[in-house]
Amino acid sequence: MVNCFKQLRLREYHEAGPRTAVAGQLLHLRTDFEVNLKNVPAPSSLGTDMLRLLHPTSAVGGMPKVAALEFLHRHEGYDRAYYSGFLGPVNVAAPGISRLYVNLRCLQLRPKEAILYAGTGLTADSDPLREWQETELKLQTVASVITPPA
């Protein structure tokens, strides 16, 4: 976020975090950024400019961004569809207020199947078995909306 702000020459913002946030059965690190649009030279394009610079985030595509995305394009083998896009309310809380989130877990319903999407943050120190277990844990939240209770 801060690097994107720098690219847009935006210097006035409030940063709160990181803090621990609960999402489903998992804990995440969360940092909130607040920008007063009265201090932005072109406020109407800030949202679009930020999304262009951020998407896909490193949580989705990896780092360094260009090399990681090229690798995924060559080796992943499927269309991510809605997975890893961004979503959230715009102008709902109040005019000019947007709360956008990266869609890191989702499902696609088809006539005879459901495809669940989730990812993991792989690093050089990652243990593949633990990463797989983490991904399964992440998908429990999504699966709970389509699976009848036992």
PDB file of all heavy atoms in Angstrom, residues 18-32:
ATOM      1  N   PRO A  18      -0.005  -3.328  11.895  1.00  0.00           N
ATOM      2  CA  PRO A  18      -0.875  -4.491  11.742  1.00  0.00           C
ATOM      3  C   PRO A  18      -1.471  -4.932  13.075  1.00  0.00           C
ATOM      4  O   PRO A  18      -0.916  -4.694  14.136  1.00  0.00           O
ATOM      5  CB  PRO A  18       0.053  -5.565  11.183  1.00  0.00           C
ATOM      6  CG  PRO A  18       1.410  -5.180  11.646  1.00  0.00           C
ATOM      7  CD  PRO A  18       1.401  -3.677  11.748  1.00  0.00           C
ATOM      8  N   ARG A  19      -2.642  -5.570  12.953  1.00  0.00           N
ATOM      9  CA  ARG A  19      -3.328  -6.141  14.103  1.00  0.00           C
ATOM     10  C   ARG A  19      -3.878  -7.495  13.698  1.00  0.00           C
ATOM     11  O   ARG A  19      -3.988  -7.788  12.508  1.00  0.00           O
ATOM     12  CB  ARG A  19      -4.429  -5.218  14.605  1.00  0.00           C
ATOM     13  CG  ARG A  19      -5.546  -4.986  13.600  1.00  0.00           C
ATOM     14  CD  ARG A  19      -6.571  -3.980  14.143  1.00  0.00           C
ATOM     15  NE  ARG A  19      -7.523  -3.579  13.139  1.00  0.00           N
ATOM     16  CZ  ARG A  19      -8.646  -4.230  12.865  1.00  0.00           C
ATOM     17  NH1 ARG A  19      -8.957  -5.320  13.508  1.00  0.00           N
ATOM     18  NH2 ARG A  19      -9.471  -3.783  11.939  1.00  0.00           N
ATOM     19  N   THR A  20      -4.226  -8.285  14.677  1.00  0.00           N
ATOM     20  CA  THR A  20      -4.782  -9.602  14.407  1.00  0.00           C
ATOM     21  C   THR A  20      -6.283  -9.469  14.185  1.00  0.00           C
ATOM     22  O   THR A  20      -6.971  -8.798  14.960  1.00  0.00           O
ATOM     23  CB  THR A  20      -4.506 -10.557  15.581  1.00  0.00           C
ATOM     24  OG1 THR A  20      -3.094 -10.616  15.792  1.00  0.00           O
ATOM     25  CG2 THR A  20      -5.023 -11.949  15.277  1.00  0.00           C
ATOM     26  N   ALA A  21      -6.770 -10.087  13.120  1.00  0.00           N
ATOM     27  CA  ALA A  21      -8.196 -10.077  12.814  1.00  0.00           C
ATOM     28  C   ALA A  21      -8.659 -11.518  12.622  1.00  0.00           C
ATOM     29  O   ALA A  21      -7.942 -12.333  12.044  1.00  0.00           O
ATOM     30  CB  ALA A  21      -8.460  -9.262  11.551  1.00  0.00           C
ATOM     31  N   VAL A  22      -9.852 -11.811  13.116  1.00  0.00           N
ATOM     32  CA  VAL A  22     -10.426 -13.139  12.967  1.00  0.00           C
ATOM     33  C   VAL A  22     -11.254 -13.172  11.697  1.00  0.00           C
ATOM     34  O   VAL A  22     -12.051 -12.278  11.433  1.00  0.00           O
ATOM     35  CB  VAL A  22     -11.319 -13.487  14.187  1.00  0.00           C
ATOM     36  CG1 VAL A  22     -11.974 -14.853  14.012  1.00  0.00           C
ATOM     37  CG2 VAL A  22     -10.515 -13.447  15.464  1.00  0.00           C
ATOM     38  N   ALA A  23     -11.034 -14.205  10.893  1.00  0.00           N
ATOM     39  CA  ALA A  23     -11.836 -14.422   9.688  1.00  0.00           C
ATOM     40  C   ALA A  23     -12.130 -15.915   9.620  1.00  0.00           C
ATOM     41  O   ALA A  23     -11.244 -16.723   9.371  1.00  0.00           O
ATOM     42  CB  ALA A  23     -11.098 -13.959   8.445  1.00  0.00           C
ATOM     43  N   GLY A  24     -13.380 -16.279   9.892  1.00  0.00           N
ATOM     44  CA  GLY A  24     -13.722 -17.690   9.944  1.00  0.00           C
ATOM     45  C   GLY A  24     -12.983 -18.345  11.096  1.00  0.00           C
ATOM     46  O   GLY A  24     -13.035 -17.882  12.233  1.00  0.00           O
ATOM     47  N   GLN A  25     -12.251 -19.404  10.807  1.00  0.00           N
ATOM     48  CA  GLN A  25     -11.511 -20.136  11.838  1.00  0.00           C
ATOM     49  C   GLN A  25     -10.034 -19.748  11.862  1.00  0.00           C
ATOM     50  O   GLN A  25      -9.237 -20.396  12.521  1.00  0.00           O
ATOM     51  CB  GLN A  25     -11.627 -21.634  11.575  1.00  0.00           C
ATOM     52  CG  GLN A  25     -13.054 -22.141  11.600  1.00  0.00           C
ATOM     53  CD  GLN A  25     -13.150 -23.605  11.205  1.00  0.00           C
ATOM     54  OE1 GLN A  25     -12.150 -24.283  11.064  1.00  0.00           O
ATOM     55  NE2 GLN A  25     -14.365 -24.082  11.030  1.00  0.00           N
ATOM     56  N   LEU A  26      -9.671 -18.698  11.137  1.00  0.00           N
ATOM     57  CA  LEU A  26      -8.263 -18.335  11.020  1.00  0.00           C
ATOM     58  C   LEU A  26      -8.004 -16.941  11.558  1.00  0.00           C
ATOM     59  O   LEU A  26      -8.894 -16.099  11.608  1.00  0.00           O
ATOM     60  CB  LEU A  26      -7.830 -18.390   9.550  1.00  0.00           C
ATOM     61  CG  LEU A  26      -7.979 -19.742   8.859  1.00  0.00           C
ATOM     62  CD1 LEU A  26      -7.665 -19.607   7.386  1.00  0.00           C
ATOM     63  CD2 LEU A  26      -7.053 -20.765   9.496  1.00  0.00           C
ATOM     64  N   LEU A  27      -6.758 -16.708  11.915  1.00  0.00           N
ATOM     65  CA  LEU A  27      -6.301 -15.381  12.311  1.00  0.00           C
ATOM     66  C   LEU A  27      -5.480 -14.802  11.169  1.00  0.00           C
ATOM     67  O   LEU A  27      -4.705 -15.516  10.533  1.00  0.00           O
ATOM     68  CB  LEU A  27      -5.445 -15.457  13.572  1.00  0.00           C
ATOM     69  CG  LEU A  27      -6.137 -15.993  14.815  1.00  0.00           C
ATOM     70  CD1 LEU A  27      -5.134 -16.098  15.960  1.00  0.00           C
ATOM     71  CD2 LEU A  27      -7.300 -15.103  15.214  1.00  0.00           C
ATOM     72  N   HIS A  28      -5.648 -13.532  10.906  1.00  0.00           N
ATOM     73  CA  HIS A  28      -4.921 -12.850   9.843  1.00  0.00           C
ATOM     74  C   HIS A  28      -4.301 -11.579  10.405  1.00  0.00           C
ATOM     75  O   HIS A  28      -4.787 -11.023  11.376  1.00  0.00           O
ATOM     76  CB  HIS A  28      -5.869 -12.463   8.693  1.00  0.00           C
ATOM     77  CG  HIS A  28      -6.504 -13.615   8.023  1.00  0.00           C
ATOM     78  ND1 HIS A  28      -5.905 -14.292   6.984  1.00  0.00           N
ATOM     79  CD2 HIS A  28      -7.687 -14.237   8.226  1.00  0.00           C
ATOM     80  CE1 HIS A  28      -6.693 -15.267   6.585  1.00  0.00           C
ATOM     81  NE2 HIS A  28      -7.777 -15.257   7.323  1.00  0.00           N
ATOM     82  N   LEU A  29      -3.260 -11.125   9.745  1.00  0.00           N
ATOM     83  CA  LEU A  29      -2.728  -9.802  10.052  1.00  0.00           C
ATOM     84  C   LEU A  29      -3.450  -8.800   9.169  1.00  0.00           C
ATOM     85  O   LEU A  29      -3.629  -9.033   7.971  1.00  0.00           O
ATOM     86  CB  LEU A  29      -1.228  -9.741   9.796  1.00  0.00           C
ATOM     87  CG  LEU A  29      -0.366 -10.491  10.789  1.00  0.00           C
ATOM     88  CD1 LEU A  29       1.102 -10.399  10.384  1.00  0.00           C
ATOM     89  CD2 LEU A  29      -0.555  -9.951  12.199  1.00  0.00           C
ATOM     90  N   ARG A  30      -3.867  -7.684   9.745  1.00  0.00           N
ATOM     91  CA  ARG A  30      -4.636  -6.683   9.010  1.00  0.00           C
ATOM     92  C   ARG A  30      -4.079  -5.300   9.325  1.00  0.00           C
ATOM     93  O   ARG A  30      -3.818  -4.964  10.481  1.00  0.00           O
ATOM     94  CB  ARG A  30      -6.104  -6.764   9.425  1.00  0.00           C
ATOM     95  CG  ARG A  30      -6.955  -5.652   8.872  1.00  0.00           C
ATOM     96  CD  ARG A  30      -8.383  -5.814   9.299  1.00  0.00           C
ATOM     97  NE  ARG A  30      -9.136  -4.618   8.997  1.00  0.00           N
ATOM     98  CZ  ARG A  30     -10.446  -4.539   9.113  1.00  0.00           C
ATOM     99  NH1 ARG A  30     -11.138  -5.572   9.515  1.00  0.00           N
ATOM    100  NH2 ARG A  30     -11.046  -3.417   8.819  1.00  0.00           N
ATOM    101  N   THR A  31      -3.900  -4.521   8.291  1.00  0.00           N
ATOM    102  CA  THR A  31      -3.514  -3.123   8.438  1.00  0.00           C
ATOM    103  C   THR A  31      -4.524  -2.289   7.672  1.00  0.00           C
ATOM    104  O   THR A  31      -4.822  -2.585   6.520  1.00  0.00           O
ATOM    105  CB  THR A  31      -2.100  -2.874   7.889  1.00  0.00           C
ATOM    106  OG1 THR A  31      -1.180  -3.730   8.575  1.00  0.00           O
ATOM    107  CG2 THR A  31      -1.686  -1.429   8.066  1.00  0.00           C
ATOM    108  N   ASP A  32      -5.069  -1.271   8.304  1.00  0.00           N
ATOM    109  CA  ASP A  32      -6.038  -0.385   7.666  1.00  0.00           C
ATOM    110  C   ASP A  32      -5.357   0.913   7.264  1.00  0.00           C
ATOM    111  O   ASP A  32      -4.500   1.423   7.991  1.00  0.00           O
ATOM    112  CB  ASP A  32      -7.193  -0.064   8.626  1.00  0.00           C
ATOM    113  CG  ASP A  32      -8.007  -1.298   8.979  1.00  0.00           C
ATOM    114  OD1 ASP A  32      -8.159  -2.175   8.113  1.00  0.00           O
ATOM    115  OD2 ASP A  32      -8.502  -1.378  10.117  1.00  0.00           O
TER     116      ASP A  32
END
